[in-house]
Amino acid sequence: ENRARFVLEIVRAIRTRVGRDFHLQMKISATEHNNALLFTKFEGPGNTVEESAQVCKWLVEAGVDVIVVDTAHGHAQGVLDRVRWVKRNFSSVEVVGGNIATADGAKALVDHGADGVRLRDQQGADAVESGSDLPVRFSAFRPPIPRRC
């Protein structure tokens, strides 16, 4: 619980200040539990899948509207599984998955329950988010209309 204390204090403070009319998203790492940075002297082990599930529960209880499941390879099976799990267990919030750069990635996320996708631009910077109509736009060769968050 101590690892999530700071973020939960932030969420509660935002909700206290602006109420429920303010849209609030929180991002969780889909791969933190892999301890990808454990080789550095500054990083300790990340959250396990079970710990991440608990953090999601606390975030929902604290009042977030959207949980963003994020990693560099947003349509990897682990991310897809996490998106599906969050959506099934917390139906009161929307779920955004990503980062993706292809129509196949967007379709995979939507097929696994994502309400929106997080896009990576061609340079890999400044991700944008788009609604679940993105695969339709890709298939029709119409560029998505990005909504910056």
Side-chain angles (χ1 to χ4, degrees), residues 48 67 71 134:
T48 65
I67 293 178
T71 188
L134 187 68

Side-chain angles (χ1 to χ4, degrees), residues 12-77:
R12 290 179 187 125
I14 291 170
R15 280 293 173 230
T16 298
R17 178 77 186 245
V18 300
R20 292 292 309 166
D21 293 334
F22 186 81
H23 177 83
L24 181 57
Q25 297 184 14
M26 291 303 293
K27 182 170 84 168
I28 64 166
S29 171
T31 58
E32 186 178 56
H33 64 279
N34 289 337
N35 300 324
L37 299 176
L38 193 54
F39 65 89
T40 71
K41 294 182 192 291
F42 304 108
E43 293 291 328
N47 290 336
T48 65
V49 172
E50 294 78 18
E51 289 168 334
S52 293
Q54 182 61 56
V55 170
C56 287
K57 181 179 182 214
W58 289 329
L59 290 171
V60 170
E61 289 170 353
V64 299
D65 299 301
V66 176
I67 293 178
V68 180
V69 180
D70 187 53
T71 188
H73 303 287
H75 63 286
Q77 192 60 51

Side-chain angles (χ1 to χ4, degrees), residues 69-87:
V69 180
D70 187 53
T71 188
H73 303 287
H75 63 286
Q77 192 60 51
V79 179
L80 298 174
D81 293 344
R82 183 71 59 94
V83 165
R84 176 175 279 152
W85 185 90
V86 171
K87 192 61 182 177

